[in-house]
Amino acid sequence: MRFLGVLLGMVLLLTGCADKAPPPEKFQFTAKTLEGAEFRGDKLVGQPAVLWFWTPWCPSCNAEASKVAQIAKKYDKIQFVGVAAEDQLDAMKKFVADHQMNGFPHLADLDGSVWKRFGVTAQPTFAFVREDGSVELLTGAPTEEQLDQRVSALMPKA
């Protein structure tokens, strides 16, 4: 009986001391939201997420904004994050307000560093993040059906 207690104690000690693997490098960032709050990229690891890389002056981004907002609302178990770049903060805020996209955070990537981390070179681009941290990029404007299918595929299996 004593042996089982010692064995159990060792298992608990070893599992408690195990180092957690660091998040993939692309998620090791801190950025500011349009409102100035801190956003940590490592919080996205371990859950499905969609990052939408956009600019305020992009015609495709403007055309798909309401579609993205609707899909984000539909899939409330998936974290959506807008990543705005290549413009000024005021223009970014106006874009979000004009398209009523307040349902999820938007990052003010003023220096383009988050875009670079994910290898984004054009807008719009979507980054579909699986629970395991793997990422699939889609550059361009998908149809609503295509976007819905991609986001739906991220849902955890019951």
Side-chain angles (χ1 to χ4, degrees):
M1 193 65 152
R2 180 177 162 93
F3 173 73
L4 287 176
V6 170
L7 184 61
L8 180 61
M10 289 178 64
V11 167
L12 290 174
L13 180 66
L14 290 173
T15 57
C17 293
D19 286 333
K20 192 175 175 183
E25 189 174 326
K26 65 180 55 172
F27 294 101
Q28 295 177 21
F29 69 88
T30 302
K32 294 285 187 190
T33 66
L34 298 184
E35 294 77 30
E38 184 177 279
F39 183 93
R40 289 183 39 202
D42 61 356
K43 297 291 184 190
L44 296 171
V45 176
Q47 65 173 326
V50 176
L51 283 74
W52 179 46
F53 295 87
W54 58 271
T55 63
W57 46 264
C58 164
S60 295
C61 301
N62 278 276
E64 73 185 4
S66 63
K67 168 177 60 182
V68 173
Q70 288 172 351
I71 297 285
K73 189 179 285 189
K74 178 179 177 181
Y75 293 99
D76 61 350
K77 301 272 190 265
I78 295 178
Q79 174 67 62
F80 274 71
V81 179
V83 186
E86 299 184 8
D87 210 328
Q88 301 299 312
L89 186 59
D90 288 343
M92 295 172 181
K93 288 180 178 180
K94 182 177 181 339
F95 178 94
V96 170
D98 287 352
H99 294 292
Q100 300 174 345
M101 300 198 72
N102 301 359
F104 56 92
H106 294 269
L107 308 182
D109 192 20
L110 298 173
D111 63 359
S113 62
V114 177
W115 281 40
K116 286 180 193 128
R117 282 186 170 280
F118 283 86
V120 174
T121 58
Q123 74 289 332
T125 292
F126 290 86
F128 300 98
V129 181
R130 291 181 199 83
E131 288 182 84
D132 65 3
S134 62
V135 178
E136 181 183 354
L137 290 182
L138 173 65
T139 300
T143 66
E144 187 169 351
E145 182 180 328
Q146 291 168 331
L147 182 59
D148 189 88
Q149 288 173 348
R150 293 279 185 121
V151 176
S152 174
L154 295 174
M155 290 294 289
K157 306 300 180 234

